[in-house]
Amino acid sequence: MRVARCVGLVLGLVVLISCCKSSSAEADGPIVTHKVWFDISIGGGATERVEIGLFGDVVPKTVENFVELAKKPEGEGYKGSKFHRVIKNFMLQGGDFTRGDGTGGRSIYGEKFADENFKLSHYGAGWLSMANAGKNTNGSQFFITTIKTPWLDGKHVVFGKVIKGMSMVRKVENNKADGRDRPVKEVKIVDCGGEKVASPFAVTKAEATA
């Protein structure tokens, strides 16, 4: 009986330690405070939704810019814009709603705004970061990684992670591109929106798989 009790106690401790480790790993990631969704079509086909969790406690100004642009009507924000640059095993780039070729776009604060901070890294596939033309040149353009990209750390502001629809991200990644990395079949954000989440939650510092 004593042996059985001891075994039960040990097993209980193992389960407790395992749970604590799991919770700790989850808590290691940033907290999602806002969410943006994109309904994306490839070549005019049926749309599929991609949802991105945003870290407003870490980079509030960058998150506000992204959320507000996702809520604006076509021509003034992300709705109706394209992913103009796609490089397999690297990233998908979009957000140029003024010119559509990577030379335009603007923020809600004006043409450009400064790098907020570099507290987060490009941990793996599915992480959202600001595209830029150098230091302190953030506008509306962004990219979603499809692999871990540590060489971009400290140069581009990471502010979100895909929490749903990573399969669509992969479909866009595998859509054929021309010699200038432009998708042969147009990749369009048909509809989009953004909001503050009712209950903030943490994500892990791993690649997105959802």
Side-chain angles (χ1 to χ4, degrees):
M1 182 66 77
R2 287 180 181 176
V3 172
R5 286 178 179 175
C6 288
V7 170
L9 180 61
V10 170
L11 287 173
L13 287 171
V14 169
V15 170
L16 179 61
I17 291 168
S18 177
C19 289
C20 288
K21 283 184 177 180
S22 176
S23 297
S24 176
E26 190 73 18
D28 279 347
I31 303 295
V32 171
T33 59
H34 296 72
K35 181 173 69 173
V36 156
W37 54 268
F38 291 152
D39 285 341
I40 301 172
S41 71
I42 300 176
T47 62
E48 291 188 38
R49 180 163 292 190
V50 174
E51 294 184 5
I52 306 170
L54 307 170
F55 314 127
D57 289 342
V58 181
V59 275
K61 189 170 184 177
T62 308
V63 166
E64 182 182 14
N65 181 62
F66 194 72
V67 171
E68 291 305 311
L69 289 173
K71 291 160 65 175
K72 288 184 178 294
E74 189 165 344
E76 298 180 21
Y78 296 137
K79 185 175 181 178
S81 67
K82 302 178 295 183
F83 281 87
H84 62 271
R85 186 176 180 226
V86 176
I87 303 176
K88 189 175 174 62
N89 295 319
F90 182 22
M91 60 88 206
L92 330 174
Q93 185 173 338
D96 180 357
F97 60 87
T98 61
R99 296 182 180 174
D101 60 2
T103 63
R106 61 175 178 268
S107 78
I108 63 170
Y109 310 113
E111 201 68 23
K112 305 292 181 186
F113 68 101
D115 298 319
E116 192 164 7
N117 63 60
F118 300 109
K119 292 179 180 179
L120 299 173
S121 299
H122 300 80
Y123 299 107
W127 287 80
L128 176 71
S129 187
M130 289 299 291
N132 61 43
K135 186 177 180 180
N136 298 322
T137 58
N138 301 286
S140 57
Q141 291 190 49
F142 61 87
F143 63 92
I144 299 171
T145 59
T146 59
I147 61 168
K148 188 175 182 179
T149 56
W151 62 90
L152 300 179
D153 295 347
K155 298 176 182 177
H156 296 267
V157 178
V158 177
F159 64 103
K161 182 184 180 182
V162 173
I163 55 176
K164 186 177 180 181
M166 194 61 195
S167 60
M168 185 55 170
V169 171
R170 292 300 186 190
K171 287 179 183 178
V172 174
E173 179 190 19
N174 290 305
N175 180 36
K176 187 177 179 181
D178 64 20
R180 294 180 294 173
D181 303 319
R182 294 183 180 180
V184 173
K185 293 181 179 178
E186 183 181 72
V187 181
K188 184 177 181 179
I189 299 173
V190 176
D191 200 5
C192 56
E195 62 186 4
K196 188 174 183 177
V197 299
S199 300
F201 59 92
V203 294
T204 60
K205 291 180 179 178
E207 67 175 29
T209 56

